[in-house]
Amino acid sequence: METNIKAPDKSISREAVRMWRLSRAIVHAAALLLIAALLVMDAAWGWWSWVGWVLYGAAGLAVLSAIFAVGIEPFILQRIWRYDVSEEYVQLKHGALTRVHVLVPMAKVEYVTTNQGPIMRKYGLYNLVIGTMASSHNIPALPEREAFSLREQIAELAQVKDGE
């Protein structure tokens, strides 16, 4: 059986890059502050000599991780994420190293929700969550108008009723 399914072509918001950079910078800054505090305690209390070396190694790895997670990865994620909605299914495609291409049949969709955290609110972005009996699927970083219209479109196509 051969089908001709057109690859998804809609991309997530370009603001996703800035949003992911900010949220990841906060997490990495907290980790580096924790490591710095441990290094200060090591210097003040003279812990075993190997503890300092481990902490310096952890600091180096945290800096390398921050460079990748803040500077490079958000740009790659935004360029790779694609989605599309048709009458038959929702199509999601993402992943740099491991390519993921998911088809969610409209008949299996049980709920559609949008959510937004404080950093996403700053950039006017929403996540769209599509739930089935077995799992849920996420389309990240959609502009507000697009997220709401997509939620309504999927709910209508999947015949999701309010209160179900």
Side-chain angles (χ1 to χ4, degrees):
M1 179 172 91
E2 186 175 318
T3 60
N4 293 327
I5 298 173
K6 186 182 83 149
D9 57 355
K10 295 179 184 172
S11 63
I12 60 177
S13 173
R14 292 185 186 273
E15 287 294 306
V17 174
R18 293 175 58 204
M19 182 266 304
W20 282 326
R21 282 187 172 154
L22 177 60
S23 64
R24 291 167 181 210
I26 291 169
V27 170
H28 280 83
L32 287 170
L33 282 174
L34 176 64
I35 293 171
L38 289 171
L39 282 167
V40 168
M41 288 190 281
D42 177 45
W45 294 322
W47 292 339
W48 296 293
S49 63
W50 61 268
V51 172
W53 289 106
V54 169
L55 290 173
Y56 282 115
L61 289 175
V63 167
L64 290 175
S65 172
I67 290 169
F68 178 73
V70 174
I72 300 168
E73 190 178 27
F75 178 73
I76 293 170
L77 289 175
Q78 191 278 329
R79 287 188 47 109
I80 289 175
W81 247 105
R82 295 286 181 265
Y83 69 93
D84 202 4
V85 176
S86 71
E87 291 182 11
E88 299 169 7
Y89 43 77
V90 177
Q91 201 175 164
L92 311 171
K93 188 174 183 180
H94 58 90
L97 296 177
T98 303
R99 299 277 181 171
V100 178
H101 193 167
V102 179
L103 295 174
V104 181
M106 283 297 177
K108 301 290 183 183
V109 173
E110 292 188 348
Y111 64 88
V112 185
T113 63
T114 53
N115 62 52
Q116 178 187 58
I119 296 174
M120 293 185 84
R121 190 171 303 119
K122 175 180 172 37
Y123 294 101
L125 300 175
Y126 284 81
N127 286 329
L128 182 79
V129 181
I130 303 155
T132 65
M133 179 69 93
S135 62
S136 65
H137 305 280
N138 185 38
I139 302 174
L142 294 172
E144 180 177 1
R145 183 176 289 161
E146 189 175 342
F148 291 160
S149 69
L150 200 57
R151 180 186 66 192
E152 298 304 319
Q153 179 187 4
I154 293 170
E156 186 177 311
L157 290 171
Q159 300 175 352
V160 174
K161 304 278 191 275
D162 234 1
E164 282 188 8

